[in-house]
Amino acid sequence: MRFLFIETCQVLAVGLAVALVVNQLSPRGLRLGRDYFQESVRLTGGTTAVAAAPVLPWPQVESLKRLPEITANEALALFQDPRRAQGQVIFVDARKQTVFQEGHIPEAYPLDRFYPDQDLPSVMLAGAAAEQVVVYCAGGLCEDSHYAGLQLIEAGLDKSRIRVFAGGFTEWTAHSWPVERGERGSGLVSNPLP
Amino acid sequence: MTGWLARLVLGICFVYLGLNKALNPTDFLKAVHQYGWVDRTLYLTWIAALLPWLEVFCGLLLLAGFWVRGAAFAVFGMLVFFSGIVLHRALRIQETTGIDFSEIRFDCGCGNGAVLVGRKLVENTVLAAASLVLVLSRKR
């Protein structure tokens, strides 16, 4: 029994050490000092109300609703708004890069909130000139759009400009509205609006 | 023969499922966040960053035949603990929604997306039994 305990401790110690090193070396590794669910806490003056809120079980998980949300029709109206062509209305896709490549709202800026270093500067640049910034993720139970919106506010964007399209990409595609594949601005758009 | 088979099955399962999580740590992080079982969400970052690689490491030890009892006991502990929280969440879902237990499906963060929870728990029980076989049968 004692040998089993010692061997298990050896496995855990070496295994965790290996895990630490591999996570540090991996480009997809997480930053161990970063709390990926605490942006809201910092924004609300250091309270722990959000962190302590109970998480309801699927499928009743409540979306955070800390940022104003818009419906699919409102998102479409903003998409068709002539100001979008002038960069005064922008869309931000808060899903991960691989699914962004598979399809996104045309001209949306990618912003994977877990790896913001690459995309945040360009989104902030565009967001600074925009009157409306619409953030979306997959929709449904997805909370990434809220967190990405909070990340933008933390980076300096005016909160009043940000809207979360709660239905997200799932609702957008359910309506068969335009979808762009590949990079932002690739021009590979399916279901273009008349 | 039983031990060899148990090592092979457990090793392959843990390497495969561990890698699925390790290569998509943010998906795993979101999945474990859904449980709401950790008050300080910073701990979730550590769990999501380290646990999948620990699983891969244990799986490789089992396949290699090195530190087998220790790896099997660690695997047993992980299976029991995570099966417990998956079951707890499933029961809460059943209580809240009234959905039949056999129809409850969600991404348990187990490394293979949304699954039927009942089936996942049966699988975990089989794997836990296999790990116990290794813990109990193999002499030092």
Side-chain angles (χ1 to χ4, degrees):
Chain A
M1 194 66 187
R2 186 163 159 261
F3 291 119
L4 175 63
F5 176 75
I6 292 170
E7 197 170 288
T8 306
C9 288
Q10 285 172 328
V11 168
L12 292 177
V14 178
L16 287 173
V18 169
L20 270 171
V21 172
V22 179
N23 177 69
Q24 286 300 113
L25 296 177
S26 167
R28 304 292 295 171
L30 298 174
R31 291 184 185 172
L32 295 176
R34 184 169 164 202
D35 186 340
Y36 291 89
F37 298 97
Q38 285 288 314
E39 281 89 348
S40 54
V41 175
R42 289 201 294 275
L43 285 167
T44 51
T47 70
T48 54
V50 174
V55 177
L56 297 176
W58 181 94
Q60 258 81 40
V61 175
E62 289 181 338
S63 56
L64 300 175
K65 294 189 172 67
R66 286 190 293 267
L67 293 172
E69 294 185 349
I70 58 172
T71 63
N73 284 330
E74 288 169 328
L76 180 66
L78 284 168
F79 181 77
Q80 292 175 309
D81 192 318
R83 290 178 301 161
R84 192 173 67 87
Q86 296 152 12
Q88 290 173 345
V89 174
I90 65 166
F91 283 73
V92 175
D93 189 315
R95 299 172 304 150
K96 62 182 179 181
Q97 190 61 235
T98 48
V99 287
F100 178 87
Q101 296 279 341
E102 288 166 12
H104 53 267
I105 295 177
E107 301 286 337
Y109 287 83
L111 176 61
D112 183 341
R113 77 175 188 91
F114 293 99
Y115 306 101
D117 296 350
Q118 188 187 336
D119 300 321
L120 193 58
S122 58
V123 177
M124 286 304 293
L125 199 64
E131 292 170 14
Q132 294 274 292
V133 177
V134 180
V135 191
Y136 68 92
C137 55
L141 300 177
C142 174
E143 300 169 338
D144 290 336
S145 48
H146 282 276
Y147 283 111
L150 293 166
Q151 218 164 37
L152 292 175
I153 294 167
E154 213 164 53
L157 214 61
D158 184 355
K159 185 179 179 180
S160 64
R161 297 183 197 171
I162 301 176
R163 297 286 179 274
V164 169
F165 169 26
F169 195 65
T170 305
E171 193 172 358
W172 184 270
T173 50
H175 287 290
S176 300
W177 290 338
V179 170
E180 183 178 54
R181 282 178 288 115
E183 298 289 329
R184 173 180 181 271
S186 69
L188 299 169
V189 179
S190 54
N191 306 323
L193 292 170
Chain B
M1 182 67 184
T2 314
W4 179 84
L5 190 65
R7 270 177 45 209
L8 187 71
V9 171
L10 274 174
I12 289 174
C13 280
F14 268 74
V15 169
Y16 174 74
L17 296 175
L19 275 179
N20 271 354
K21 289 179 254 188
L23 299 177
N24 299 289
T26 57
D27 290 345
F28 182 50
L29 178 62
K30 284 188 268 187
V32 291
H33 181 239
Q34 295 289 324
Y35 286 98
W37 53 282
V38 175
D39 285 339
R40 287 200 63 186
T41 43
L42 176 63
Y43 298 151
L44 295 178
T45 306
W46 284 74
I47 291 167
L50 303 183
L51 192 72
W53 290 115
L54 180 64
E55 289 181 9
V56 173
F57 181 72
C58 288
L60 290 174
L61 286 179
L62 290 168
L63 289 174
F66 187 69
W67 282 345
V68 170
R69 293 181 73 212
F73 196 56
V75 159
F76 176 75
M78 286 189 267
L79 283 167
V80 170
F81 178 75
F82 285 103
S83 296
I85 61 168
V86 168
L87 176 64
H88 180 250
R89 185 175 172 202
L91 291 174
R92 284 176 67 199
I93 290 172
Q94 188 185 31
E95 194 181 297
T96 316
T97 63
I99 297 174
D100 191 81
F101 190 85
S102 62
E103 290 172 11
I104 295 174
R105 170 194 285 269
F106 58 80
D107 182 355
C108 58
C110 308
N112 39 12
V115 291
L116 284 170
V117 171
R119 204 165 90 181
K120 187 68 200 171
L121 289 172
V122 171
E123 283 172 18
N124 282 3
T125 306
V126 171
L127 292 177
S131 58
L132 263 190
V133 165
L134 291 173
V135 170
L136 297 174
S137 67
R138 192 175 166 100
K139 303 291 178 202
R140 258 191 112 246

